Amino acid sequence: MIKVQNITVRYGEKLVLDRFCLEIPAQGLTALSGPSGCGKTTLLRVAMGLVRPSEGSVSGVDPARTAFLFQEDRLLPWRTVAQHITDVLPRFRRGEAGRWLAFAELEGEENAYPAALSGGMARRLAMARCAALGGDLFLMDEPFAGVDPERTARILDRLRELDVPVVLATHQPQVLAVCDRVVSLDGPPLRRI
Amino acid sequence: MKKIMRLAIPLVFWLSVWALAALAVGQDLLLPGPLAVGGRLLALAGTADFWLSVGATLCRVFLGLLWGTLAGVALAFATHFFPWADRLISPAIRVVRATPVVSFILLVYLWVARSAIPWVIAGLMVLPVVWGALSAGLDGMDEKWLEFARVYRFSRLKTLRLVCLPALRPHFSAGLLTAFGLAWKSGVAAEVLCPPARAIGSRIQQAKLGLETPDLFAWTLTIVVLSLALEGLFRTALERGNRS
């Protein structure tokens, strides 16, 4: 169980999370939905330990065993598609690169650099890298932004087959429809629910 | 063919201007023509002393480039990661950068052996340039990449190898290219003012003292040709390095 207890986060004068509480079972696909700027990204970053809240705590998330997908792709312009995957794999798992490229439907693009990828391909590469890193939990921020609906459906199926709990931030109805649970976060600042 | 013409037309034009100016002056002592200078250059190139002088100057310039680069890199990392080093070292490097090379040559003349002056000076000119370029790269390094490396459990060595060094490479290459030109010019200037036994600068000084103006031009031409050729090689090598 992931427990978010009384989290408060401010960016300067702006209050983003206000004594926010949430409990999510650590299983299946859980979506955090809500309008842009409502605090979904901040909540995921707090859970990952990337943003320190001014008060409150999160339990049930071990950053050392969690794979995190950033809101931006954060691809390295000087690494190829295949290298982005092998870079996060331990030496003895390097042979799995093809599996993760297939996961994101990037076969044939192994030697391409990020500059040559479309927005959707770059997003899928970022997702494949996150999945290849692996862990006990996936926290994914807008994983399907820019990905076409057919691929989104297929990749969601593969994500489910990995049998790792996933918490993802999204406002895509197609993604929300297949998640096991949806947590709606409406309008900033997020308050106790 | 077009490329050759683009190079040849300006060359022929400026050689013609030079030849006409030399004809107008009419004295080799003041302005020798391109034929006289070319003849002297060919004669000099047939001697062992010419090649030994060129070799010795190149060694000094590259030695200066090497130590200046190593020191510039080390100090850039030190001033970036340690605030006390930044407060202590950055002003000193800025002073070095602002000091005229002639002042340094005359000062260093008091402290080190004559043969060492050119490479000491070349290194002193290289250091602030490499430091500045690398410091700018370090300051501008995207924090988001470093955060990515932490979240994706990269070791420090892996972060350095896969994230930091590739991100710094364009800054380093640009700095090194500028530094190379400076090392070459300042190294030869130091050789002229404090002539070692064997050096291009020493030969320029001798030609000046002996009023051998065609020799002075021939040695200067040697410097220009070497500088352009080496800069071209250097640029190609750095571009290949960046691509790989």
Side-chain angles (χ1 to χ4, degrees), chain A residues 45 48 50 63 66-81 83-89 114 122-123 125-133, chain B residues 141-155 158-164 166:
Chain A
R45 290 179 64 82
M48 193 60 189
L50 300 174
T66 300
F68 188 81
L69 179 69
F70 291 96
Q71 191 176 36
E72 318 85 28
D73 301 322
R74 303 213 186 178
L75 303 178
L76 302 173
W78 46 85
R79 304 297 282 169
T80 64
V81 166
Q83 285 170 336
H84 275 89
I85 304 299
T86 53
D87 286 347
V88 300
L89 291 172
R123 196 65 192 142
L125 175 57
M127 214 185 324
R129 181 176 62 181
C130 174
L133 178 71
Chain B
M141 188 172 292
D142 200 334
E143 178 57 36
K144 288 180 174 177
W145 281 336
L146 298 176
E147 187 184 58
F148 151 75
R150 281 195 301 276
V151 167
Y152 280 70
R153 304 164 208 159
F154 282 16
S155 65
K158 198 170 179 179
T159 303
L160 185 72
R161 189 170 61 85
L162 297 183
V163 180
C164 299

Side-chain angles (χ1 to χ4, degrees), chain A residues 31-43:
Chain A
L32 302 176
S33 87
S36 296
C38 75
K40 303 188 294 287
T41 296
T42 300
L43 188 56

